Amino acid sequence: MSITVKGVIERKGLGPGTWALVGEDGETYELKDAPSELKKAALKVSVKGEIRKDVMTFAMIGPVLEVQSFEVL
């Protein structure tokens, strides 16, 4: 099931580093398969994707959101 999250992109310095989306509701999502255009700190976006409960990561900063599409706001 797809969800859409609006928020701000952040670079988290855990391990080798990871990209995250901090939603307007304060929830932090770890981005999976994010295109390079989305990997810009402080970028305000709307991201459509799927929460992947079957994926584990080193960062473990929140639910893993597999990016399907996005729009810069």
Side-chain angles (χ1 to χ4, degrees):
M1 182 168 103
S2 292
I3 65 167
T4 300
V5 180
K6 289 183 181 179
V8 177
I9 300 296
E10 288 186 2
R11 172 84 171 159
K12 302 290 186 179
L14 303 169
T18 190
W19 290 95
L21 171 61
V22 179
E24 292 177 333
D25 62 356
E27 180 80 53
T28 299
Y29 299 88
E30 185 170 346
L31 297 177
K32 180 179 184 326
D33 300 334
S36 59
E37 300 87 9
L38 192 57
K39 296 177 181 178
K40 296 178 182 165
L43 191 65
K44 292 183 183 183
V45 295
S46 175
V47 175
K48 181 179 177 183
E50 183 177 340
I51 298 295
R52 295 288 305 269
K53 296 183 186 268
D54 61 331
V55 174
M56 302 254 328
T57 67
F58 286 111
M60 295 175 48
I61 56 174
V64 175
L65 180 60
E66 184 172 20
V67 177
Q68 296 170 338
S69 63
F70 73 95
E71 176 184 358
V72 176
L73 301 177

